Amino acid sequence: MENFIKTTEKNSNHNHLEKMSIGDLLSKINQEDQTVPLAVQNSLPQIEELTKQVVLKLKDGGRLFYIGAGTSGRLGILDASECPPTFGVSKDLVVGIIAGGDKAIRDAVENAEDSKEQAILDLQEHQISSKDILIGIAASGTTPYVIGAVEWCNQQNIITGCITCNAKSPLSLVAKFPIEVVVGPEFVTGSSRMKAGTSQKLVLNMISTSSMIQLGRVKGNKMVDMQLSNDKLVERGIKMIMEATQATYKIANEQLRFHGSVRRAVENILENEKN
């Protein structure tokens, strides 16, 4: 790691930030943020290769694991936690693990990211196996906790990928399917919660959403398996049923509440129409 240069740690393109007006700060942060989607675009071939592996594993009954520390770990947990309500899948299908455990979701846990051994223990707690796939998330690409997890999974014949924001990082070199989104220096030097974090969120969205579509969890462009956990989502479900079947609001509402699923309600209405 001694000779490895982290572009995420390079000096900001902007200086004397404390002398800028709020308007200038917002404008310049926005200018930097606009470079992120272009960096993601450059990584599309890598994202595609890893996503293909995720889909193969999930279709074969495996699980997707994210592991990270700090911002990276929190982003993995966020993406994992949003899959069940959005796509109606089991909460165990996509699993987010963060160095330091649940406490680290809200508070920084000192030295948690430095232990390779703890990463292995955390994975073993979930009984990860060769049926599953692991994606290590680390903006720097040097986090021992994440590298340790990937190294151990490689030894266990578990497919590994990573999302990092530095080229040829130690993490990229050990992951079988690395994704490198090189976003360059942060607006505030070294603050990888900014452009690096944004790029990781974009990539995670792409991987999970594309995978769920491939698993048949979206019909047309609708979340037909979403959990109906509040009135807003129930109303959205009713509109989806009306659009898909030309049913009245009353029928769509009745069918949705009876079946508890947009998919099943649509299937039932269309089947009845055939008969």
Side-chain angles (χ1 to χ4, degrees):
M1 285 190 198
E2 287 182 8
N3 298 322
F4 172 61
I5 299 173
K6 303 179 190 178
T7 56
T8 52
E9 297 288 337
K10 282 190 172 181
N11 205 31
S12 172
N13 295 319
H14 310 271
N15 204 353
H16 304 300
L17 306 186
E18 73 281 5
K19 297 180 180 179
M20 292 183 187
S21 68
I22 290 175
D24 284 342
L25 288 168
L26 298 178
S27 175
K28 293 184 186 305
I29 290 172
N30 179 247
Q31 287 172 18
E32 290 288 348
D33 286 346
Q34 289 180 43
T35 67
V36 174
L38 297 177
V40 172
Q41 184 180 46
N42 292 334
S43 303
L44 283 176
Q46 293 180 322
I47 299 169
E48 181 178 4
E49 286 304 306
L50 180 52
T51 304
K52 284 179 179 177
Q53 296 300 316
V54 171
V55 171
L56 285 173
K57 286 297 182 182
L58 294 183
K59 283 187 173 180
D60 199 35
R63 297 168 292 170
L64 168 59
F65 282 83
Y66 297 136
I67 193 164
T71 298
S72 298
R74 293 181 191 105
L75 288 169
I77 287 174
L78 174 62
D79 195 72
S81 68
E82 290 178 341
C83 285
T86 306
F87 302 108
V89 297
S90 164
K91 66 179 182 178
D92 300 318
L93 185 66
V94 184
V95 180
I97 299 174
I98 185 170
D102 285 353
K103 175 179 170 53
I105 297 172
R106 290 183 178 273
D107 303 310
V109 178
E110 287 188 21
N111 303 320
E113 67 175 52
D114 297 329
S115 174
K116 289 186 175 184
E117 294 75 19
Q118 187 59 50
I120 297 168
L121 293 173
D122 291 345
L123 288 170
Q124 289 175 332
E125 186 177 333
H126 291 274
Q127 299 180 313
I128 191 171
S129 75
S130 58
K131 288 189 65 175
D132 305 317
I133 184 167
L134 174 80
I135 298 178
I137 314 169
S140 67
T142 61
T143 308
Y145 179 85
V146 180
I147 293 172
V150 171
E151 289 174 335
W152 182 79
C153 282
N154 287 338
Q155 295 167 8
Q156 307 304 311
N157 200 30
I158 298 167
I159 290 178
T160 58
C162 74
I163 305 170
T164 182
C165 297
N166 285 308
K168 298 180 179 166
S169 69
L171 177 59
S172 296
L173 295 178
V174 296
K176 300 299 183 184
F177 294 91
I179 295 172
E180 298 171 322
V181 186
V182 183
V183 296
E186 296 286 4
F187 181 72
V188 175
T189 299
S191 182
S192 56
R193 57 179 283 275
M194 300 186 76
K195 290 195 299 182
T198 299
S199 72
Q200 291 172 326
K201 177 70 164 69
L202 290 174
V203 173
L204 289 166
N205 282 349
M206 295 167 81
I207 292 171
S208 59
T209 302
S210 297
S211 297
M212 294 301 157
I213 292 170
Q214 290 286 302
L215 289 174
R217 291 290 174 168
V218 171
K219 188 173 179 61
N221 56 18
K222 303 295 193 299
M223 299 179 289
V224 292
D225 292 321
M226 67 179 181
Q227 293 177 359
L228 305 169
S229 54
N230 58 49
D231 290 342
K232 178 191 75 174
L233 296 179
V234 170
E235 283 299 314
R236 182 184 295 170
I238 292 169
K239 290 177 182 177
M240 288 164 60
I241 295 167
M242 293 171 66
E243 189 175 303
T245 66
Q246 307 305 308
T248 65
Y249 181 93
K250 181 175 182 294
I251 291 174
N253 185 22
E254 290 173 350
Q255 289 292 314
L256 181 59
R257 294 183 186 281
F258 180 78
H259 292 284
S261 159
V262 173
R263 182 189 295 274
R264 290 197 294 273
V266 168
E267 290 173 347
N268 187 67
I269 291 170
L270 295 178
E271 186 63 31
N272 289 337
E273 286 178 357
K274 285 183 185 177
N275 301 329

